[in-house]
Every structure is written in structure tokens, then in C-alpha cells.
Amino acid sequence: MLKKLSGPVAILLTVALILGAVQLNGTYFIKRSVPGPIINGVEGYHVIVAGGDPEGVSAALSAARNGLRVLLVCEQEALGGLMTLGMLNFIDMNYFEQPGVISGSRVLLTQGIFGAFYGALGNAFDVGEAKAWFLTQVHREPNIDLLLNVKIVAPIMEGNAVCGLTVLQDGEERDYYSLRLIDATVDADVAAMAGVPYTVGGEDFGKNEKQGVTLVFCLSGVDWQGIRDYVNYEKNENNNMEVGITNEAAWGYGPEALLYVPQNPRMRLRGPNIARQKNGDVLINALIIFGVDALDERSKQQAMEEAEAELAYIVGFMRENFRGFENAILEYTATQLYVRETRHIIGEYRLTIDDVLENRDHWDRIAHGSYPVDIQPTSPASYGTVVGNPDIYSIPFRSLVPLLVENLLVVGRSASYDSLPHGSARVIPVGMVTGEAAGVAA
């Protein structure tokens, strides 16, 4: 309970209660939340957001800031999903080189809530700081109720319309009702249960294959100066422009990684993306695992166990062959896999590879992208490919609107994209912008 205030402080607090949050001497005073709509005789929500990944957090924040009562449902113990529990902290950025402007002048295409995250934490961010950022942003919004560590059971349907969500909470099923639902689960689980049509992997062009998954792992004892020396040598002596380093991130060792002979034929080591943490440890995105059915929890668990067994050999190889890694020690692995591809829903419009490579605009654009069409390898026999490098393309709102089911929007990598353009549009910054757009639309 707030104590009674008078004078200028009381005036400021009154303004805060009318306009929203204000900071007074380090304390946030926040206005009361808006009431939810009455549904079936009880107070419900204007919108439920299913999924606590960055795309879901972005959708919830957007809807709440537009005056809606929001329920954010997260099945994990922390927000941030792939960025935090998956430890993917070196993310794929989308810039646009302005024509006629001095070379090097780039515009960040993914602004809004992602822009705020990027401005606060940058790329190659500390995972602990990212967890805190997502949770703080949600807690500061009085219009958001947050559920963590619950299981999504099924959407509540009235005919072909979604009107809520059933979750398993504290050992019992509970129903939450809403006027709209945003599916931000990474695999469009709610949409699939509701009856939205979809394809899986490369099914849309006749291929029964999906991009390999990755288990990110953490190493201590890595010498950053040693990595810098390696990068400088490669650039200056070997004219290798495929390597690079900043104070927080590095990439390279591609030819060295190809020399690794895996113990498990489902595994491959590729040139790593390397990102520092505040304590000096580094996170490594380099291990690809094939043959994983990412829609099957047992298959994912088996993949993680096999990958952890392989890492004993991988880290030994890196000590011997990667400059700067001579004293590397495996500390831990991510608690969830980096899954690049599962379902692709079918919506009012499906983004095509021509849209991306021909830099097409759309009348109902809600996001822009420019990341290369990066198709990761799908089997030990393939090495992946970059299909093309767009300058700038737009994503239409219709790609968030699924067929056959009403009151539902789908955001993130499982939105209505063909599998090839998904290689570009799947990246987290674009997904966060689509999430923000869905919150506005709701």
C-alpha cells in the first residue's frame, strides 16, 4: 500500500496514475491494469499469448501497451526461450544499406521492441542479463498476467473460433478465456491443435527433410586474445574474409572444423559462432545434429543426450586444433535445442522465395527482413547453402493469419512462409517484429 503523499510528489503520482508508469527516486509507480472482458460470465482476457520465447514476449508487451488485458503463457521456467534457455545469444541481424548513402551506413530494419532489446544488450549478449530484461519488461506492464512452468493442453474452441486456452497448472487443468489468441510457440502447437493446415520441413517442395538442429554449449578457459591472433593471421596472411572478431563475438575456424571426424554419424562440427559472457565464458554455436524429429519430445531428448556425449570428443579436438582454445573446459550445455524448422502454417498469404529474392513489398507489410536465405544442412550428406542475399523485403500481415481458424494469429518461424524463404524470415529479430505487429492487431 502506498503511503499518503502531498505536494509536488502527489501531483507527479497523480499524473503517473493517469498516464502510466513513472520513476520517482528509483521506484516505479504503475497505474492499475485495465479490466478484462466478461466472457461466459467471468472476467477473461482481451488476448492470450501462448509461448514465452522472444516473439511471445514482444506480442504480449505490444498488446498490453495498446491497452489490452493480456495473459502470457510460458511453458518454461524463464522467459526468452531460444535466446535464454537455448543460449542462442549471437543473433542474425537485418540491416539495409541505403542507396546513395556513404558505404557502411546501415539501417536496422527490426526496430520497436527488438530495437529496445538490442539497444540495451547488443548482440552476443549475456544470457543472464537477457533473462532479466525479458522478465523486467513483462513485470513493468500492469496489463500482463504471466504464467510460468505450465503446460499448454489445448485451445478452447467454439466452432472454428479460438476463444481461450486450457493449461495444466499446479497439477490441474484450468481454462482461460480470451477474445483473441496469439500463437507464439516455436512450432505453432496451438494452431496445429486448433486445426490450422500446415506443412513440415521441405514438404512444400517435395522434400521429406528438415534443417539440422544445434545444441549450444559453454566453455571456460578460452583465450580471447588467442582468437584475435588467429583472426588477424587468417585475414592478413591467408586473405580469409570469412573470419571476424569484436570484443563480444567471433566467428571462423571453418576449415579446421571440417577436419573433425564425429564419433556419432548424426553429428557434425562446423565453424563456430563464439559469444562471450560477462564472466569470461564463451557460448559456442557449432554442433549440428541430424535426424531429429523436433515435434517429438523423446527424439529431442535423445538428441541432447547424444550431443552431450559427443562434446567430450569435440572439446578435445578444439583444444588441439583451435587457436585460443588450448585450455578450454566444457562447463554446461543449453537446456533446450536450437530447432530451426518444423511446421510452416498455411495462412491467408504464404511468403515465397520470389518475394524475398526479388525484394518485394506488400500492401499489408508489418515487418522487413534482409537476412540471407540460409538453408542449413539437412543430413550428413549435405552442407547447406545460401540461396540468395536480399536487400530488403516485407512480410505481409496475411502471413500471420491462418486459414480455417478464427480469432488466431501465428508469429515467429512457424508463420505462413514457404520453407525456402523461411531460411531468412525465421530469424528472431524478424519474429519479434511480427509478434509486436500481432499485439497491435489484436
Side-chain angles (χ1 to χ4, degrees), residues 194-417:
V196 172
Y198 59 85
T199 57
V200 177
E203 181 183 356
D204 58 315
F205 64 99
K207 297 289 186 180
N208 182 26
E209 57 188 26
K210 296 181 287 292
Q211 297 181 47
V213 307
T214 289
L215 180 64
V216 178
F217 56 96
C218 176
L219 299 178
S220 63
V222 174
D223 177 12
W224 201 254
Q225 184 57 47
I227 299 176
R228 193 178 298 278
D229 292 342
Y230 157 80
V231 169
N232 290 336
Y233 179 85
E234 285 294 307
K235 285 186 173 181
N236 297 330
E237 301 299 326
N238 294 332
N239 196 31
N240 180 3
M241 296 297 109
E242 300 299 316
V243 301
I245 190 168
T246 68
N247 288 332
E248 293 80 27
W251 54 98
Y253 302 98
E256 294 86 347
L258 287 176
L259 298 176
Y260 177 71
V261 179
Q263 302 294 309
N264 187 327
R266 297 178 65 192
M267 308 289 161
R268 177 184 295 155
L269 184 66
R270 66 167 194 183
N273 288 336
I274 308 162
R276 297 176 86 182
Q277 297 292 275
K278 286 296 177 67
N279 65 358
D281 292 348
V282 297
L283 301 183
I284 305 293
N285 172 3
L287 173 58
I288 300 180
I289 313 160
F290 301 109
V292 181
D293 181 358
L295 297 176
D296 185 319
E297 290 299 324
R298 290 175 297 179
S299 179
K300 289 194 292 184
Q301 183 60 38
Q302 180 183 354
M304 292 189 71
E305 292 171 359
E306 292 182 11
E308 289 169 356
E310 188 75 23
L311 282 174
Y313 301 97
I314 288 174
V315 175
F317 175 85
M318 294 173 77
R319 288 194 201 106
E320 294 179 4
N321 296 277
F322 287 16
R323 185 172 180 178
F325 286 76
E326 293 82 0
N327 299 309
I329 298 172
L330 178 64
E331 292 291 338
Y332 52 85
T333 65
T335 56
Q336 72 176 46
L337 292 169
Y338 171 18
V339 178
R340 296 175 174 87
E341 181 179 32
T342 53
R343 296 185 180 102
H344 307 286
I345 71 150
I346 300 175
E348 296 288 345
Y349 184 85
R350 211 149 193 238
L351 193 73
T352 70
I353 190 62
D354 289 341
D355 288 331
V356 172
L357 297 184
E358 295 181 5
N359 300 300
R360 290 179 180 171
D361 197 7
H362 290 276
W363 63 268
D364 56 339
R365 77 183 77 84
I366 44 87
H368 290 114
S370 66
Y371 189 70
V373 183
D374 181 17
I375 308 300
Q376 293 289 311
T378 57
S379 73
S382 70
Y383 285 85
T385 186
V386 174
V387 175
N389 290 278
D391 294 320
I392 180 173
Y393 63 91
S394 69
I395 292 175
F397 176 69
R398 287 164 293 158
S399 289
L400 311 186
V401 183
L403 295 181
L404 304 185
V405 176
E406 301 299 323
N407 298 341
L408 177 67
L409 298 173
V410 178
V411 300
R413 65 165 170 80
S414 292
S416 185
Y417 313 140

Side-chain angles (χ1 to χ4, degrees), residues 57 61 77-81 83-85 117 120-121 125-140 146:
V57 174
L61 293 174
E77 71 275 11
L79 295 173
M83 277 183 168
T84 56
L85 304 176
F117 175 90
L121 277 74
F125 50 83
D126 185 88
V127 166
E129 290 185 352
K131 283 184 180 179
W133 191 90
F134 286 121
L135 189 61
T136 298
Q137 298 305 307
V138 168
H139 280 331
R140 284 179 176 173
L146 173 63

